[in-house]
Structure formats: structure tokens, C-alpha cells
Amino acid sequence: MPSAETNGKGGADSEDGPGAESAADEAVPGAAAARVEALIENMGWRISDASPHRPALAESLAALSRLGTDYTADDLIPYAQLATSTADLDFAQFEGIEDRIALAERAVVLTVLFEPVVRLLRRLAQEDANHRRHDRRACGRGEHPEE
């Protein structure tokens, strides 16, 4: 992980000179936007140039970069693949719905109400992965580790 010293984010009096921090900060959003574009291209996604999700993802990546945590387009590919699978599952739920009102209702359910369920499933999976990784049993259900 890059440190503040190695990524050009020293203070205003850094060895790069006064104003080096603001120049580095200005470069972060451009680099993040380039990573978003590379990811979209690598995934073969067809995304509108006007999509609000492009700059939103770039801003999130830029915020991570400012904290010293950079994710390359290649780092994001496994997550993008999972997101593609999730999107395919979402759209499969629209199959067979002909009524526009019912279709709109299903879209709201999936995008607004079901989103927390997906997020919580991820958290549960992370907890399980942690237990599997550390060979522990789930706590709080009367289960005790083998002794």
C-alpha cells in the first residue's frame, strides 16, 4: 500500500515543493476515472457516457486513493463479475411480467427494498468466510469449538 510519502501526498512543505499536495489531489480523480473506463472496457460493458454511475465510481475510487488504498481496474474485475451475475439475477426476476405497473413495482422492490438484503447477505458471507478461514464455529447459537 503506498504511503503518504511515496504517493506524493506530503504536506505543503513536502520535498516536491509548495502546492505539491493539491497537484496530487487533482490527479487522483483523473486517474480514478481512467480506472473506471479501463474496467468498463475490460468487462465489455455497454455503459452510457451520461451514466451517473461512472463519475460516482470514480469518486469512490478517488476517495480510496486519497486514503492510500488504490484499486486497479484488474483488482475490480472479480467484483465486477459478481456484480454482473447479480444484475443478471435481478433481470431474471422481470421475466414473464408483461404489465408495466407490475414491472415498475418489481424494479422498485429490487433496486430499493432488496438492496439491503443483498448487502446483508454479503456481510453474512464475510462472517462465514472469516470463520472458515480461522477454523472457528459461529458464535451465539450454542455451538462450541471442538476441544
Side-chain angles (χ1 to χ4, degrees), residues 81-95:
Q81 290 169 334
L82 289 171
T84 296
S85 295
T86 301
D88 289 342
L89 285 170
D90 289 345
F91 277 91
Q93 292 200 28
F94 295 140
E95 291 178 20

Side-chain angles (χ1 to χ4, degrees), residues 31-144:
R35 281 180 280 171
V36 170
E37 295 310 312
L39 174 67
I40 290 169
E41 184 177 326
N42 288 343
M43 291 298 297
W45 283 346
R46 293 180 296 177
I47 307 296
S48 167
D49 290 340
S51 173
H53 306 296
R54 285 175 185 262
L57 179 56
E59 180 55 40
S60 292
L61 293 174
L64 286 166
S65 291
R66 286 189 293 273
L67 294 172
T69 306
D70 286 318
Y71 285 88
T72 66
D74 288 342
D75 293 332
L76 297 172
I77 286 176
Y79 292 96
Q81 290 169 334
L82 289 171
T84 296
S85 295
T86 301
D88 289 342
L89 285 170
D90 289 345
F91 277 91
Q93 292 200 28
F94 295 140
E95 291 178 20
I97 301 175
E98 300 295 329
D99 180 58
R100 287 183 177 262
I101 303 272
L103 196 59
E105 288 172 349
R106 174 60 78 173
V108 168
V109 166
L110 284 173
T111 57
V112 177
L113 303 175
F114 196 69
E115 183 82 20
V117 172
V118 173
R119 198 169 45 249
L120 290 167
L121 287 170
R122 180 180 182 205
R123 297 295 179 258
L124 288 170
Q126 288 171 337
E127 185 176 336
D128 174 66
N130 179 53
H131 287 289
R132 283 184 285 114
R133 175 167 277 173
H134 299 288
D135 197 33
R136 294 185 252 172
R137 289 179 172 253
C139 299
R141 292 192 329 201
E143 297 175 9
H144 301 285

